[in-house]
Every structure is written in C-alpha cells, then in structure tokens.
Amino acid sequence: MARHIVATISEIPPGGNKVVEIAGRDIVVFHVNGEFFALLNRCPHEGAPLEKAACVARLTSPEPGVYERSRVGEMLRCPWHGWEFDMRNGQSWFDPKRVKIRSYPVAVERGEELQKGPYVAETFPVHVEDSYVIVEV
Amino acid sequence: MSEVIDRPLRDDEKPAASKLRIVDCDVHPSLHSVEDLNEFLPKRWQQHLKEYGSHLRTPYLFTTPYPRSSPLIARRDAWPPTGGPPGSDLAFMQKQHLDPLDVEFGILQVLDLFIFSQQNLELGAAIQRAINDWQLAFWSHRDPRLKASILVGQDGVDLAIAEIERCAKIGEYIQINVSPRANEPLGRRRYWPIYARAQELDLPLGIHVGGYGGHAPTGGGWPSYYVEEHQSNAHTIAAQLASLVIEGVPERFPKLKIVFIEGGFGWIPSAVWRMDQHFERFRSEVPHLKRKPSEYVRENFWFTTQPIDEPDEARHLRALIEWVGIDRLLFSSDYPHWDFDDPRFAFKTPLTEAERKKIFSANARAVYKF
Ligand code: FES
C-alpha cells in the first residue's frame, strides 16, 4: 500500500469533503467531528457520486414514537436512492455483510514528520507548519 | 445484487449502455419559476391565478399529501449550481445527464403545477397549453434531443381534443399524455374520443404515474407513509391497465399504442395472468373482447423500466424481463428524481447486446418513430 498526501486538514472543513484521484480511483475524503474517512466515490448500488451524499446520524427507535440519534454526521446517505452507509468502514446499514463501499485507511500527520518519510511532496506541496491528511491505497 | 466495489470501472464496462446511444423515455424538466409560463398564459388566466390560485382535487396547495424522501423528490446532486430547482437548467441537464449518458433522445415529462389536477377545467386547459408551448420554447427548440408531449386533461374531452389538434398542427410533439388519476378509470367511454384521435394521428398515449385524482391513491384508502403511498403507483397502473383492456380500448382502437411511464414492470405478470384467468371464466360478461387480455397487452402496451424492482436473485429479474417481453420495455431514467436509474448499472442481470439495444433504444424508436 502506498501512502498519498491528499490535503491539508484546513482544506476539508468539518462536515465537508474532498475528492481525490489516486491510482485511477475517485476517492472521497470526509471530515467528521475531527476525524477523516476515505471511501470510494461510488455508491455500490448504481454508482452515485458519494461526495454529494448527506452526512446523517444513525437513527434508531426503541419503541414507537421514540427516536434516538447517535453518531451524528458519521452515516452517509446516498444522494440517489438513499442507501445508508457507515463512514468508518463503508458497511451498509441495512445489509452490512453484503453491501459495502470500499474504504481506505486515513491518517493525519504533521508536516515535519512527513518531510522525513519516503512520500515527501510526491504530488503535493508540503509546508512544514501544517498537518496533512494521508490516504493509504 | 450489489457487491463491494473496490476498483475503478474498466473501459469495457463504462460504455456498455452509452455505446448504444440511449433513448430515455422519462426526463423531468422543471419550471425555473412560474413566471416562465407568463408568455404562454393569457392575461385572463394569469389574473385568475393571482386572484383565486389553483383549485386542485386534493386539499394541499404547492405540496403533496405525503412529505417526500428528498426535497422536490430530487437527487441530491441534481440541483443546478446556477440556482433553481432540479431539472430547470438545460445546460446543467446536458452536462450531468444527456451528454455523459449519451442520450440520443430524451422524452420530457412535465409534472409541475399538478398539471392534471385542476378542478377548473378551463384553467387546467390553459395551463396545459402553456406547458405544451413552454416545452418547445424552453427545451426542444434549444436541444433537439428533447422531445415534448401534448399534455391534456382528459376530464374535459372537448378541451383536450382542441389542444391535441392545435399541437398536432405544430407537428413536433411525439405523444399525447393523460393522467393515470382522472375522475374515472381510463377505459371509460367518455375518454374514447381522445384515444380515437391519438390512433388517427398515430401518436402514442403516454400515462405517467403520479398526481392525485381526488380519491385515495390506493383501493384501500389513504396510506400513512410516503413509502406506502409510493407503492400505489404500481397498483394504480395495474388498475388502469385492466380498465383499458377490459373496457375494450385496444379492441376498439387496435392501432393505439399506450405507454405506461414510471410504473415499473414487476407487477405485470400476475396482473395479466389474473386477467386471462378471469376472462376464461367470465368472458360472457364482456363479449366485446375478442381476444385474451394478454394478447392486447402484448400488442398495444409498452412499459418504461424505472423503477426496476430489485429481487435478491438476478435470475428472478431475468425471468421477469423475459415474461413481460424484451419488446415491451422502454428504458427510462426518471432524471433528476431521487429514484433515478443509471442505464449502466440499473439492470442487475446480464442482457445480451441485442436485448440491450432493444430496451435502451430500438423499442422506443419504433414506438415513437424517431
Ligand atoms: S446509487 Fe446509491 S443508493 Fe442507489
């Protein structure tokens, strides 16, 4: 697996995303509550662009009339037919064993650390004072 | 069924549909704003709308009795960057839909202003006339791929016929659209003059699901939820198919072509099996029918594909398609609505090149004579 510097953290505001092309794949990187998640930018159903998905909460209902929201912003709702996926691992909410978006490991590292690595400024200008989002593909 | 997607599309996967140049039988344009219609709507009716507004058969103005799954029932990625509702910006529609999917022809289906539901039939006819003119001026004339339909409200048959004549003279419209939720079932004699004229003009009759006829959308009454109400599109069309066939419309107008739009096709086998079975038993009640219902269905009716039912097993979808008939199906995307079908991925069962060609293009070309 190669590591790719895809953005500075300030480039992807909370609740936002950035689409990057790595090794011929369109990958979308989301920023949720201080964490970053990288997923293939295609819904496994009919291929909708997930960069347009809604970032929603997990909604559960223990009994009629009572709704609970958890993991706010961490679920993706496809922009077309509304299938929902867990951003952490790409699993679908309704059939997690069979339907899944490919997801990729993400790390956030400081510029100084990056300068020492083998992937320095490969495709991305590095400024040492910043932190960077790294996707492994 | 879906699988984990972890690789980019190969080139040989991408063009499967687009190589064919598709005909999309259900594309929804939208008014940018109601004022767009002013140039086509006589002052008298503009004034009327200002003073009295719409008078629909349902009690909800500017909305529907059921909240929809997404704003304006649209794909989240279909809102034009220039503002305005999804489907209202031609350049964006071209860029997002027509060009990348290589749409050779797209048939416009207008749903704005609850076009078929006006209680005041003259106002309804004026709106339909304005929408018919707007389809040409704002869409077909600006992109000749986009084809317009003559929208008429069938409850004022004389008004409908006058509008059909007016539009037929213009000569650019490719079908006549009526509502699936009129005051009475579509097979009733009161609507036959429209069918007679459609047959003479050799214009298919298009019936797009949706709208409210003032009666409950299901035979069982008013549903509680959108997802429940959404099922009624299929029941409604099944009921209209039975009405048209059994009241004798294709028997009386054997050359009439009828296209059901956005009703899907999963429900067809059982509906037709049942009609045939009952016909065997009760044919003396309907001696005007000379043939089995299934024979009329196979000759006079076509069905657009969206929304495609998605059984867990691909072979079930395959069996369904074969039963309904490769020749009966016309591809439609329903762009830009939330249940849009992408022609490259919608059929989760293999189709041969020849079958794809029929469903994605040749059948529609034959029905609409492109
Ligand atoms: S394409 Fe994502 S739910 Fe259908």
Side-chain angles (χ1 to χ4, degrees):
Chain A
M1 284 220 191
R3 289 158 56 88
H4 303 261
I5 304 168
V6 298
T8 61
I9 52 166
S10 54
E11 229 184 304
I12 313 179
N17 69 55
K18 179 181 178 186
V19 179
V20 294
E21 201 195 309
I22 304 177
R25 294 171 170 82
D26 248 1
I27 291 176
V28 55
V29 184
F30 291 93
H31 179 178
V32 182
N33 309 327
E35 287 184 275
F36 291 86
F37 302 106
L39 301 156
L40 195 72
N41 191 22
R42 290 186 65 223
C43 177
H45 179 222
E46 284 192 25
L50 292 174
E51 62 186 287
K52 304 284 187 188
C55 298
V56 298
R58 173 163 288 183
L59 187 69
T60 47
S61 175
E63 59 182 277
V66 179
Y67 303 99
E68 284 167 6
R69 268 157 42 97
S70 59
R71 303 188 47 200
V72 177
E74 285 185 28
M75 302 294 288
L76 273 180
R77 191 196 292 138
C78 176
W80 291 1
H81 314 97
W83 288 15
E84 288 181 336
F85 300 92
D86 188 333
M87 244 193 252
R88 277 180 196 279
N89 49 23
Q91 280 172 334
S92 69
W93 181 213
F94 59 94
D95 191 358
K97 288 217 178 65
R98 292 218 294 181
V99 182
K100 193 170 173 171
I101 309 166
R102 173 71 192 210
S103 65
Y104 302 92
V106 182
V108 175
E109 291 179 13
R110 291 167 53 75
E112 294 93 330
E113 294 159 14
L114 282 179
Q115 289 246 316
K116 296 179 202 122
Y119 30 76
V120 177
E122 197 185 290
T123 55
F124 204 84
V126 172
H127 308 285
V128 284
E129 68 275 13
D130 224 336
S131 289
Y132 296 88
V133 183
I134 318 282
V135 174
E136 256 183 61
V137 176
Chain B
M1 194 52 199
S2 312
E3 288 159 13
V4 178
I5 291 179
D6 65 349
R7 58 173 170 76
L9 286 185
R10 293 189 313 261
D11 272 357
D12 60 330
E13 290 173 306
K14 279 185 193 159
S18 57
K19 247 192 325 204
L20 289 171
R21 313 221 56 201
I22 67 170
V23 178
D24 182 349
C25 296
D26 189 14
V27 175
H28 293 292
S30 264
L31 289 168
H32 198 267
S33 94
V34 186
E35 273 81 65
D36 288 354
L37 283 190
N38 281 353
E39 60 180 290
F40 312 111
L41 200 59
K43 279 266 162 347
R44 179 245 185 284
W45 292 114
Q46 290 179 37
Q47 194 61 30
H48 184 100
L49 274 173
K50 260 197 219 113
E51 283 172 22
Y52 300 97
S54 270
H55 185 187
L56 304 178
R57 297 201 206 106
T58 50
Y60 300 91
L61 281 181
F62 309 114
T63 185
T64 56
Y66 299 91
R68 303 312 206 194
S69 63
S70 67
L72 295 182
I73 56 173
R75 275 169 50 168
R76 285 176 58 91
D77 61 343
W79 292 78
T82 46
S88 66
D89 179 330
L90 174 63
F92 186 63
M93 181 190 281
Q94 290 166 330
K95 184 160 157 269
Q96 183 172 50
H97 184 62
L98 302 176
D99 298 342
L101 297 181
D102 202 12
V103 175
E104 185 174 17
F105 296 108
I107 300 182
L108 300 170
Q109 303 287 347
V110 188
L111 303 177
D112 295 61
L113 289 174
F114 303 93
I115 187 162
F116 295 120
S117 302
Q118 295 291 341
Q119 287 281 47
N120 178 331
L121 294 180
E122 275 84 9
L123 170 62
I127 292 176
Q128 287 146 16
R129 205 157 48 230
I131 292 270
N132 293 339
D133 288 339
W134 168 82
Q135 288 180 74
L136 295 185
F138 276 64
W139 300 92
S140 305
H141 290 170
R142 290 165 64 204
D143 188 330
R145 286 174 290 188
L146 295 173
K147 301 294 179 188
S149 306
I150 307 171
L151 306 189
V152 295
Q154 67 265 50
D155 281 310
V157 170
D158 50 337
L159 296 166
I161 296 289
E163 179 60 1
I164 290 170
E165 300 306 345
R166 187 186 77 91
C167 292
K169 269 204 202 79
I170 299 172
E172 297 180 46
Y173 297 87
I174 52 99
Q175 73 183 344
I176 297 169
N177 272 22
V178 295
S179 167
R181 288 184 167 139
N183 272 325
E184 293 180 26
L186 294 193
R188 300 303 282 264
R189 255 167 205 275
R190 61 182 291 192
Y191 304 130
W192 286 15
I194 296 172
Y195 308 150
R197 203 60 195 113
Q199 174 174 267
E200 280 160 20
L201 292 165
D202 196 17
L203 287 172
L205 189 72
I207 303 168
H208 186 288
V209 301
Y212 295 92
H215 24 252
T218 82
W222 292 90
S224 305
Y225 304 100
Y226 172 53
V227 55
E228 193 183 355
E229 186 250 4
H230 204 48
Q231 311 297 318
S232 71
N233 287 337
H235 321 160
T236 304
I237 291 216
Q240 299 296 18
L241 178 73
S243 172
L244 286 160
V245 168
I246 292 173
E247 304 216 17
V249 170
E251 174 57 40
R252 182 75 167 62
F253 306 104
K255 294 217 155 58
L256 181 64
K257 301 184 242 181
I258 302 175
V259 184
F260 279 123
I261 302 154
E262 207 179 319
F265 56 91
W267 52 271
I268 295 172
S270 67
V272 174
W273 290 333
R274 183 172 295 209
M275 275 199 280
D276 271 3
Q277 191 182 338
H278 288 178
F279 178 69
E280 292 305 334
R281 171 72 185 77
F282 302 115
R283 60 200 308 165
S284 57
E285 189 196 8
V286 284
H288 56 275
L289 294 190
K290 303 285 180 272
R291 302 156 67 196
K292 287 203 297 194
S294 57
E295 293 177 35
Y296 298 113
V297 174
R298 289 238 159 75
E299 275 175 32
N300 295 81
F301 292 85
W302 284 264
F303 305 89
T304 66
T305 53
Q306 184 276 339
I308 297 178
D309 292 315
E310 295 174 22
D312 284 349
E313 304 221 15
R315 66 196 165 91
H316 294 155
L317 179 60
R318 175 76 213 177
L320 178 60
I321 291 171
E322 280 175 16
W323 195 92
V324 172
I326 302 279
D327 294 335
R328 300 286 107 195
L329 295 173
L330 312 177
F331 175 75
S332 65
S333 71
D334 194 29
Y335 177 87
H337 289 167
W338 73 265
D339 45 355
F340 164 82
D341 267 334
D342 186 311
R344 294 164 300 178
F345 310 110
F347 286 85
K348 304 210 178 293
T349 183
L351 297 171
T352 65
E353 257 330 277
E355 290 167 349
R356 296 190 74 89
K357 195 162 178 14
K358 284 187 173 181
I359 294 174
F360 284 100
S361 170
N363 293 343
R365 295 184 68 107
V367 172
Y368 292 108
K369 296 185 299 170
F370 291 135

